């Protein structure tokens, strides 16, 4: 596992524990591993937000 993926997983776990949201896998492209997102955030909203 890449260091950035591990970091993202740990940050998401702490945010979910502290604030209560859940994460869910989202398929970005067929044949690729899913990415974890905050549950309940629509795909349209994700696309509307600028990439960091």
């Amino acid at each position: 596992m890449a260091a950035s993926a591990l970091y993202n997983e740990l940050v998401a776990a702490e945010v979910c524990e502290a604030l209560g949201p859940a994460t869910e896998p989202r398929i970005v492209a067929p044949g690729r591993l899913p990415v974890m997102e905050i549950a309940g955030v629509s795909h349209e909203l994700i696309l509307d937000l600028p990439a960091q």
Side-chain angles (χ1 to χ4, degrees):
M1 178 180 282
S4 63
L6 178 59
Y7 172 80
N8 291 342
E9 185 178 320
L10 293 172
V11 168
E14 289 202 24
V15 168
C16 289
E17 184 178 322
L19 302 177
T23 58
E24 63 186 5
R26 180 172 63 88
I27 303 297
V28 178
R32 303 218 32 207
L33 293 174
V35 296
M36 297 306 289
E37 300 284 354
I38 301 295
V41 177
S42 72
H43 186 65
E44 291 77 23
L45 179 59
I46 293 170
L47 292 175
D48 285 345
L49 295 173
Q52 300 258 349

